[in-house]
Amino acid sequence: DIEVYSSENKGKILTTFHFLRNQQQQENIPNYCLSDFIAPKETGITDYLGCFTLTSGIGIEKKVEEFKNSNDDYNLFMLKILANRLADAFAEVLHLKVRKELWGYVKDEDLSLDELHLGKYQGIRPAPGYPACPDHSEKAELFRILNATENIGISLTETFMMNPAASVCGWYFANPASKYFSVGKINKDQVIDYSERKKISVKEAERWLAVVIGY
């Protein structure tokens, strides 16, 4: 788990994010969990976790319906693709701004476009639903603490999909050792532990973790 505290009162927990650890046997590779990239509470070190949401899809629904009604599949697909690519590009720009300006831990970063695409920068920005955090329901707390729906008009469906679809959300980790990884398949012991930490039933945990359950 990663506990997020109020900057005004470090004894006040704003929210807790819950993560899973890779448990597959790997030679000379640690079994990572995203919480590994934040300083443990017992160290007393003040560490930071960034949260973000963004969208480039607001307002396209009208044009999507127009293209659907006129059977214009080409422009329908191109509009959706364009919106998704703009959202991805915006995510890159925001992460760059965090690294060089807002957090400023690599102010002199000067990477080529190819190096950026290969993720050669320091830090990661994993998203709920992706390999390192397969549980989409973690988006709920992200949206709550950022007040994302009120601030920028993105909402979540009952299954935690984002609306508009051309949206991105996730976390910023600045730790130099942070890296992308896959949780892989997990066993029931970790599902039970996860359900206890999230205070949900094992059945509900299995629902959200269906893609990685290995039993």
Side-chain angles (χ1 to χ4, degrees):
D1 290 350
I2 296 178
E3 293 179 346
V4 180
Y5 304 104
S6 166
S7 58
E8 295 81 16
N9 179 4
K10 291 184 180 179
K12 179 183 178 183
I13 298 177
L14 292 180
T15 191
T16 301
F17 293 111
H18 308 88
F19 298 109
L20 295 162
R21 183 174 298 282
N22 174 288
Q23 292 185 311
Q24 297 171 321
Q25 290 188 350
Q26 304 175 102
E27 189 172 342
N28 299 321
I29 300 176
N31 292 98
Y32 286 113
C33 178
L34 286 173
S35 61
D36 294 339
F37 307 134
I38 294 291
K41 184 193 300 187
E42 56 267 23
T43 66
I45 296 171
T46 299
D47 207 346
Y48 297 88
L49 175 73
C51 300
F52 72 93
T53 61
L54 63 91
T55 186
S56 66
I58 292 175
I60 72 169
E61 295 86 358
K62 182 178 179 181
K63 295 302 295 185
V64 165
E65 284 303 310
E66 287 180 15
F67 293 140
K68 280 183 179 178
N69 294 334
S70 59
N71 295 316
D72 188 348
D73 291 340
Y74 176 78
N75 279 311
L76 173 62
F77 293 144
M78 289 302 293
L79 177 59
K80 289 183 176 181
I81 290 170
L82 177 61
N84 285 328
R85 296 291 74 79
L86 286 172
D88 289 338
F90 191 20
E92 287 283 2
V93 170
L94 283 181
H95 197 189
L96 179 66
K97 189 176 181 68
V98 167
R99 296 194 304 272
K100 297 188 69 172
E101 300 175 31
L102 300 179
W103 285 2
Y105 57 87
V106 283
K107 293 180 180 179
D108 298 325
E109 179 187 295
D110 185 22
L111 300 177
S112 68
L113 193 57
D114 287 341
E115 288 173 321
L116 288 173
H117 287 160
L118 291 171
K120 297 295 186 181
Y121 43 77
Q122 178 183 323
I124 57 174
R125 58 169 192 278
Y130 280 70
C133 177
D135 183 2
H136 283 276
S137 73
E138 286 296 299
K139 292 174 187 170
E141 283 303 296
L142 261 175
F143 272 58
R144 185 185 69 81
I145 65 173
L146 292 174
N147 203 8
T149 301
E150 181 176 323
N151 285 329
I152 59 175
I154 311 177
S155 59
L156 293 173
T157 68
E158 290 183 356
T159 55
F160 300 103
M161 297 297 101
M162 290 180 286
N163 186 28
S167 303
V168 182
C169 70
W171 302 277
Y172 293 127
F173 292 83
N175 192 319
S178 61
K179 61 186 298 178
Y180 294 107
F181 64 93
S182 175
V183 165
K185 295 299 181 181
I186 60 175
N187 295 321
K188 193 156 189 174
D189 58 340
Q190 188 166 189
V191 174
I192 292 172
D193 175 77
Y194 189 74
S195 70
E196 291 173 349
R197 287 187 283 122
K198 285 198 70 158
K199 296 180 174 58
I200 59 176
S201 68
V202 172
K203 185 177 181 179
E204 185 177 354
E206 289 175 331
R207 176 189 179 192
W208 300 126
L209 300 174
V211 296
V212 294
I213 285 177
Y215 58 89

